[in-house]
Amino acid sequence: MQVLANLVVLTAIYALISCGYVLIYRVSRVLNLAHGELMMLGAYLLFTLASLFKGGPELAFAGAVGLSLLVGFVLYVVLMRKMTGELVIAAVLVTIALGILLRGLMVLIWTARDLHPISVLGWKNPPVPLGGGTSISSVALATILVAVVLYLALMLFFRYTRWGLQMRAVGERPLLAAQRGIKLHAVYALAWALSTFSGGLAGMLLALDSGLGSTMVIVGLKAFPAALVGGLDSLLGAVVGSFIVAAAEILAIHFIDPLISDVVPFVVLIAMLLVRPWGLFGTKEEIERV
Amino acid sequence: MAQASGYFKTSYGQELRLIETTTQKVALAAFVVVLLVYPFFAKPFFLDLANQVFLAVIAASALMLLTGFAGQISLGHAGLLAAGAFTTGILYKEVGAPFWVTLPASAVVGALLGLVFGLPSLRLKGLYLAVTTLALHFIVAYAGGEYETKRGYSTGVSVSPPSLFGFELTQGRHWYFVLLAFDVLVVLFCLNLVRSRTGRSFIAIRDHDTVAEALGIPVKRTKLLAFVISSVLTTLTGSLLAYYQGFVTIQAFTIYLTIEYVAMVIIGGSGSMLGAILGAVFVVLFPHVIEAAIRLVPASRHLVNDAFAINFAAFGLIMVLFLIFEPLGLVGIWRRLRDYFLLWPFRQTAVGKGG
């Protein structure tokens, strides 16, 4: 039972993170390899705001979430906009470089020590019993709820709103979309903002649960196979992929070796790439195949 | 490429020449003299830096062949270096093999891994290929870490310096000449390779693989060959690295190392062997230059403890700037500068731009 509960929590974490990869990839075909660092940035913002507004933890949380939305927007306008229309791989390399830059800056500003935003916020994280001797922490429960709400909201957003429709159109055919009067740069900026928003949320929740340190980048990178296994341009795929990767990881930890947990997602990734490179729910013709 | 007016190629032989003009001949001769004299005047620290640059040049040339010429993006370079270093370390530790066994053994492992890393390239390209090689990096790194923990070498595997006929390679100056010889061989090999039929088919595949196939180039075999050559050179570097540093630890082979090598290709200038050398020099020396700069400026002296983080940030920034503003890298800057002076007082404009 406890294994099952852990599985659901890990799936929720991966789903929250991998949705950021999907959002950007779906709209602009760029893989954002700085996502782990952006996640961490969100968590650090929460820490700083929490130290600033000692009285209002809710205010600090809302502020950090808002700021991480802004970070994505600014990043696109200042940096990634220059890469629009360039080779996709060059844009991906820019995100890698951006990740290094961010990591250096974050160590400079917040040092490399492990931080615990939850104690600064003054919140508690009691375990919630689920019956049958299983329990998960309250933050983990919140993570599951946030993931469910976020995914529902995003799916409705893509289906029914004007902006969601425009994002889908741009993802499918940027040229045609631009000719129909859709502002490409605005749509791309929105995708980046939403991506850092969801990533930031994931980072904050992760930091509340287990502290804030350099290991978060690895978690961010491990969520990327989840996105790819499900299909990089499919939100539903991201959830399924997260579940598969989380399941493989937890099984490997239980039956093989805890050390292997960092590798399992990538083994799953290779297997998927060899069999079905476009993922479970991805669009087949999108892949540059030989 | 613009040359000073009056220099025209009149035969196919000239087209193939490595050294084209007298100026280049003189410059190269001067450079060789500097390289030969350098170790007798340099302090041990600078000697070590030079050796690190030499090691980086081999691996950067390998990645340049693969990415810059054959157009296959690989994010598994650190994994290959680790494979070479660990093959050496394990063979030395387990059976006490001398270097003339471990070096070829590393090359064989490299060839096999090159096939493994290259296989996905037959089905995937671009982004997806990069991701697959990244995943393979994690698997190699895991295997190395597993060996370290299982055998109880958690701090790393120590390797004695190589010896031949009772002569031990320990001094920095000796290493300098050995590595320099390796570099000359590797760079000449690469230069000749890219001028050959194989090298030209690499370039054809990079530029347009469908057309390459239509021209009768065996695309799959050539791609695999590019991966194998590149990874043999890389694992050889890994093996030399293990001997040079005297120990092997998986902690040294992170994703960051891969990114450093990718940066060498980008910053140096993709598709040019000179770029690989310039990139290797730049990336290896960069952190030391930054640290020296921090020490020199009195106002920032208290930042010395954060030098590592500053390096990280500055490195990321430099890479971003090169990617956005100078995709041709240092070679591009060098060519533009040279053309500016060669053509002065006229200015060169690209075809179709201005005029």
Side-chain angles (χ1 to χ4, degrees), chain A residues 89 100-101 263 273 287 289, chain B residues 73 123 128 132 142 259 312-313:
Chain A
I89 198 75
I100 297 179
L101 174 62
V263 192
L273 278 171
I287 308 280
R289 288 198 64 176
Chain B
I73 287 137
R123 289 186 54 136
Y128 282 75
T132 319
Y142 169 75
I259 297 170
F312 237 68

Side-chain angles (χ1 to χ4, degrees), chain A residues 82-83 85-87 89-91 93-94, chain B residues 64 67-68 206 262-272 275-276 279 318-336 353:
Chain A
K82 302 226 165 39
M83 299 315 287
E86 300 278 330
L87 278 178
I89 198 75
L93 288 174
V94 169
Chain B
M64 186 60 88
T67 306
R206 174 193 70 189
V262 174
M264 287 178 200
V265 171
I266 295 165
I267 292 177
S270 193
S272 146
I318 287 274
M319 226 177 130
V320 168
L321 291 179
F322 265 100
L323 277 165
I324 293 180
F325 296 110
E326 190 53 70
L328 291 175
L330 291 172
V331 169
I333 296 177
W334 155 243
R335 283 194 185 139
R336 241 186 332 194
K353 267 187 201 163

